[in-house]
Amino acid sequence: MNESFYKEIQQFSPFNEQEEQDKKVFLKYLETFDDIFYRENEFANNKFSLDSQ
């Protein structure tokens, strides 16, 4: 896990409840998956692709 990126996300101040939930999910994904930024991680790739539509 990229520790500096993780810390940046931790310090992010959500604007609303949705951003707060997204922050929690993203931090959990960073803790769980080593390949979160790669297409090979189908779980994370699908989750964030669907949320952005």
Side-chain angles (χ1 to χ4, degrees), residues 2 5 8 10 15 18 21 25 29 32 34-36 38 41 45-48 50 52:
N2 184 323
F5 186 69
E8 282 187 55
Q10 279 184 313
F15 178 73
Q18 180 61 54
Q21 291 303 313
V25 169
Y29 279 24
T32 305
D34 291 331
D35 61 351
I36 189 171
Y38 299 98
N41 184 322
N45 188 41
N46 288 332
K47 168 68 175 146
F48 292 110
L50 292 173
S52 65

Side-chain angles (χ1 to χ4, degrees), residues 3-19:
E3 294 294 329
S4 64
F5 186 69
Y6 187 86
K7 287 179 184 178
E8 282 187 55
I9 300 297
Q10 279 184 313
Q11 294 171 356
F12 172 74
S13 297
F15 178 73
N16 56 33
E17 190 174 318
Q18 180 61 54
E19 286 186 358

Side-chain angles (χ1 to χ4, degrees), residues 21-32:
Q21 291 303 313
D22 291 345
K23 176 181 174 179
K24 289 177 185 176
V25 169
F26 199 71
L27 289 171
K28 185 66 174 174
Y29 279 24
L30 286 171
E31 294 166 3
T32 305

